[in-house]
Amino acid sequence: MNLKTAEVEKSSHLDYFNIAISVDCVIFGYDKKELEILLIKSDLKEFEGMWSLLGDLIKPNEDIESAPYRVLKERTGLEDVYLEQVHTFGSLNRHPSGRVITTAYYSLIDINHHKLQLTHNEVHWHKVGDIKKLAFDHKLILDTCLQRLRQQVMEKPVIFNLLPEKFSLRELQDLYQAILGIQLDRRNFRKKIALKEWLVDLDEMEDNVPHRPGKLYKVKLDLKPKSAKKKKKLIAFVS
Amino acid sequence: MNLKTAEVEKSSHLDYFNIAISVDCVIFGYDKKELEILLIKSDLKEFEGMWSLLGDLIKPNEDIESAPYRVLKERTGLEDVYLEQVHTFGSLNRHPSGRVITTAYYSLIDINHHKLQLTHNEVHWHKVGDIKKLAFDHKLILDTCLQRLRQQVMEKPVIFNLLPEKFSLRELQDLYQAILGIQLDRRNFRKKIALKEWLVDLDEMEDNVPHRPGKLYKVKLDLKPKSAKKKKKLIAFVS
DNA sequence: GCAAAAGTGTTAATCTTACACCCATGC
DNA sequence: GCATGGGTGTAAGATTAACACTTTTGC
C-alpha cells in the first residue's frame, strides 16, 4: 500500500476542482398573519424576470457556515440572525453557468425590527403561499426549507426569531398557524405554551388593537440563540 | 440593471471553481447486538494509520445524489442500499489537500446479506461504540449521522434495512436498543410495533436458537424503499 | 351597545409506563 | 430439570382533543 501526501493527491485530482459551490438562503419573515420570504430578481438572462433566493458562491477562504451570514449581511445589512443548514442540492444541470452545487440555509428574521437596507438589487418580500415558481431549482429549495421549518417549530423554540421582542399570545398563535398551515384551538394552545415555560410575562398590555388588549410576553433569554435545550422525552417511539 | 448571460457570469467567477466537493458515507451495519460502521484505512500520509469514512470527490458530470451510490458500489460492490443525505461540512481546513467541502450521507445495510466484495483497500467493520477518533473531521460526521439515524428510526421504518429479510421481534428490539442506546420494555415494545402495522407474520419460527424459538416476520413490501409513509398525527405539538 | 378578541376549566379519549407469570425449546 | 427467551394483559398516570361562556376594550 502506498501512501500519498496531500500535495500529490491534490495534483492528481486537479480536474475535480471544477465545481463551484454556493449557498442559498431561504429567509423567512412574518407580517400580517402571513409567512413571507425574501427574494431577489434574478440577474441571469436565462431567468430574466424571475425571482430567486439570495445566494452567492462560497469564497475559497471562507468557512461554509459563515457564507450565508455574509450573504445576508451584504444583501440586506442583517446581522445576528438565526440560520440553519438544511440540505445540499447538486443535480447536474441546476445552474446554467456550469456545475454549481448549492447548500441551502434557512433563516428567521423579524421583518419589522430589522429594517432592511435593501442594496443595489431588487430585493422584496413575497408571501410564501403565493410563490409558484422560482429561478433555478429554488422552488424545490424553498419547499424543502419550509418543511424543515415546520418540523423545527414543533421541536424547538426557534419561532421567536420571527417575532418582535414583545408579543401577545394571539400573535404567537397566528404565527404558528401561518407556518403550520392549520388552525389551533386557543385554549389548548395557551396551555401548551405555558407548559413549555418559554415565556416571561411582561406585565404590559397590547396597544392600538381594536379590541380588548392582551398581555405581552417576551421569550426567556436563554432561548433566543440556537439553543438545543432540554429534550424532555426524547424517546417517544417505544416505551 | 444589466443582465448577464450564464457564460459571462461563469467567466467572471472562474477563480471560485477552486473548491472540490466530495461525499462521505457513514455506512451502518448491525451484527451481534452492536451497531457498526464501515471504515477504510486512510491513504493520506497526514492521517497514516487512521481510519476514515468511505468517500470520494464528486465527478464533474455526476449528480450529487448518485455519488454516494457510486462510492458504495466501487468500494464494496453494494447496490440498492438505503442512503440519505445528512449534512454538508465545509470548514476551512478540514482537508489537508486543499479546500474540500463534503456532503455526508448515511447508509443502512444488512451486513450478513450483502456480502461485501472488499476491494483493493483495507475496509473493515468497526463497532460504533469503540470509535474515538477518525481521520479528517470524520468523527464529527459520524456523530452527526448517528444522531440523525436515531431520529429517523423513531419516525420512519428505515431500521429494517439493517436486518435480514426474516427476523424475530427480539432481533428487532435488540437493534432498536443498539441504535438508541437504551433498554426497552419487551411487552410495550411489541405492542408499539404491532400498532405500526409494519410487519407481516411469516408463520415461520426461528431456528438454531438455544431457547424457545420466536416467530419470524418480514417488513411489509411498501416500506423497504425510502417511503415517506402516512404521518399519523403530524401535529403533536399543539392541539 | 356592538364587534372583536382575551381569558379561563372540565371531561373523554388516547397514549405511555410499569410490571409478572406461564410456556416452549435446547441442552 | 434448568436456563433462556417467547408470549401475553392490566391498571395508573400523562397527554391530547373537544368544547362555551364571561370580560374588556375600541368604536
Side-chain angles (χ1 to χ4, degrees):
Chain A
M1 170 171 176
N2 44 356
L3 298 171
K4 23 183 183 176
T5 64
E7 264 314 303
V8 170
E9 202 224 24
K10 176 170 179 174
S11 64
S12 74
H13 283 312
L14 262 187
D15 36 322
Y16 286 101
F17 286 76
N18 196 18
I19 305 179
I21 173 150
S22 64
V23 294
D24 281 300
C25 302
V26 174
I27 301 157
F28 290 106
Y30 174 65
D31 193 40
K32 303 199 193 71
K33 300 197 180 190
E34 298 261 9
L35 193 63
E36 305 195 333
I37 71 167
L38 200 56
L39 296 174
I40 188 171
K41 268 276 172 65
S42 175
D43 60 351
L44 277 193
K45 194 142 195 170
E46 282 83 352
F47 293 116
E48 189 168 352
M50 296 179 69
W51 293 93
S52 68
L53 299 173
L54 274 69
D56 195 9
L57 294 173
I58 293 183
K59 295 183 190 271
N61 61 349
E62 179 179 50
D63 215 82
I64 194 173
E65 294 293 326
S66 33
Y69 289 99
R70 174 179 57 81
V71 169
L72 252 71
K73 182 79 195 303
E74 286 178 3
R75 301 299 187 90
T76 66
L78 294 175
E79 282 184 280
D80 289 324
V81 295
Y82 178 85
L83 263 166
E84 186 158 316
Q85 192 191 113
V86 176
H87 196 83
T88 295
F89 297 83
S91 63
L92 264 177
N93 295 307
R94 56 172 302 282
H95 198 299
S97 297
R99 190 67 202 284
V100 182
I101 288 174
T102 197
T103 298
Y105 287 76
Y106 86 83
S107 176
L108 302 178
I109 74 177
D110 167 11
I111 285 189
N112 298 306
H113 180 68
H114 298 91
K115 258 307 170 226
L116 305 190
Q117 311 155 1
L118 301 183
T119 55
H120 51 303
N121 278 75
E122 310 179 35
V123 179
H124 290 290
W125 289 103
H126 296 251
K127 293 180 185 171
V128 168
D130 290 349
I131 297 166
K132 301 287 175 252
K133 207 174 155 186
L134 293 172
F136 309 96
D137 51 359
H138 287 183
K139 180 63 163 65
L140 172 63
I141 295 178
L142 165 57
D143 291 344
T144 307
C145 288
L146 180 56
Q147 197 185 325
R148 179 72 133 264
L149 172 63
R150 286 178 170 155
Q151 188 186 308
Q152 301 267 294
V153 297
M154 312 268 289
E155 295 173 359
K156 310 190 293 182
V158 293
I159 200 168
F160 304 103
N161 292 290
L162 288 163
L163 289 174
E165 198 191 334
K166 302 176 179 187
F167 52 86
S168 67
L169 290 176
R170 173 181 35 81
E171 290 172 302
L172 183 59
Q173 181 178 345
D174 284 345
L175 175 50
Y176 270 108
Q177 293 179 163
I179 293 174
L180 298 173
I182 55 172
Q183 292 301 109
L184 302 172
D185 177 86
R186 187 155 46 101
R187 277 177 290 188
N188 292 337
F189 175 80
R190 285 168 184 240
K191 258 178 291 175
K192 198 68 79 54
I193 291 295
L195 274 178
K196 304 250 180 209
E197 299 184 339
W198 288 341
L199 302 186
V200 178
D201 183 340
L202 287 173
D203 259 319
E204 288 179 61
M205 290 293 174
E206 276 183 308
D207 215 350
N208 303 322
V209 284
H211 53 74
R212 173 174 174 182
K215 278 188 171 184
L216 290 177
Y217 296 83
K218 66 174 184 181
V219 74
K220 281 189 182 165
L221 282 176
D222 54 325
L223 295 177
K224 268 275 177 174
K226 288 207 170 188
S227 149
K229 202 53 190 172
K230 59 170 175 186
K231 295 212 181 167
K232 184 188 161 195
K233 222 170 77 171
L234 206 183
I235 311 305
F237 169 74
V238 258
S239 130
Chain B
M1 167 172 173
N2 44 355
L3 298 170
K4 25 184 181 176
T5 64
E7 265 314 304
V8 171
E9 203 225 22
K10 175 168 178 174
S11 63
S12 74
H13 284 311
L14 261 187
D15 35 323
Y16 286 101
F17 286 76
N18 196 18
I19 305 179
I21 174 152
S22 64
V23 293
D24 282 299
C25 302
V26 174
I27 301 157
F28 290 107
Y30 174 65
D31 193 39
K32 303 201 192 71
K33 301 197 179 189
E34 297 262 10
L35 192 63
E36 304 194 334
I37 71 167
L38 200 56
L39 296 174
I40 187 170
K41 270 276 170 66
S42 175
D43 61 350
L44 277 193
K45 194 142 194 170
E46 283 81 355
F47 294 115
E48 190 170 350
M50 297 179 68
W51 293 92
S52 67
L53 300 173
L54 274 71
D56 196 8
L57 294 173
I58 293 183
K59 296 182 190 272
N61 61 348
E62 179 179 51
D63 215 81
I64 194 174
E65 294 292 326
S66 32
Y69 288 99
R70 174 178 58 80
V71 170
L72 252 70
K73 182 79 195 300
E74 286 178 2
R75 301 298 187 91
T76 66
L78 294 174
E79 282 184 280
D80 290 326
V81 295
Y82 178 85
L83 263 167
E84 187 158 315
Q85 192 192 112
V86 175
H87 196 83
T88 295
F89 296 83
S91 63
L92 264 178
N93 295 307
R94 57 173 300 282
H95 198 300
S97 296
R99 190 68 202 282
V100 183
I101 287 174
T102 197
T103 298
Y105 287 76
Y106 85 84
S107 176
L108 302 177
I109 74 175
D110 167 11
I111 285 189
N112 298 306
H113 179 70
H114 298 90
K115 258 310 170 221
L116 305 191
Q117 310 154 3
L118 302 182
T119 55
H120 52 303
N121 280 73
E122 309 179 35
V123 178
H124 290 291
W125 289 102
H126 296 250
K127 293 179 185 172
V128 168
D130 290 349
I131 297 167
K132 302 288 175 248
K133 206 174 156 186
L134 293 171
F136 309 96
D137 51 359
H138 287 184
K139 180 61 162 67
L140 171 63
I141 295 178
L142 165 58
D143 291 343
T144 307
C145 288
L146 180 56
Q147 196 185 328
R148 179 71 135 266
L149 172 63
R150 286 178 170 155
Q151 186 187 312
Q152 300 267 292
V153 298
M154 312 266 290
E155 294 173 358
K156 311 190 294 182
V158 293
I159 200 169
F160 304 104
N161 292 290
L162 288 164
L163 288 173
E165 199 191 332
K166 303 175 180 187
F167 52 86
S168 67
L169 291 176
R170 172 181 36 79
E171 290 173 302
L172 183 59
Q173 181 178 345
D174 285 345
L175 175 50
Y176 270 107
Q177 294 179 162
I179 293 174
L180 298 174
I182 55 171
Q183 293 302 109
L184 302 172
D185 177 86
R186 187 155 47 101
R187 276 177 292 189
N188 293 337
F189 176 79
R190 285 166 185 239
K191 259 179 291 175
K192 197 69 79 50
I193 290 295
L195 275 178
K196 305 248 179 210
E197 299 183 340
W198 288 342
L199 301 185
V200 179
D201 183 339
L202 287 173
D203 259 318
E204 288 179 63
M205 290 293 175
E206 276 183 306
D207 216 350
N208 303 322
V209 285
H211 53 75
R212 173 175 173 183
K215 278 187 171 184
L216 289 176
Y217 296 82
K218 66 173 183 181
V219 73
K220 279 189 184 165
L221 282 176
D222 54 325
L223 296 178
K224 268 274 179 177
K226 288 208 172 188
S227 151
K229 200 56 187 171
K230 58 170 175 186
K231 297 213 181 164
K232 183 187 163 196
K233 224 169 76 171
L234 207 182
I235 312 304
F237 167 72
V238 255
S239 129

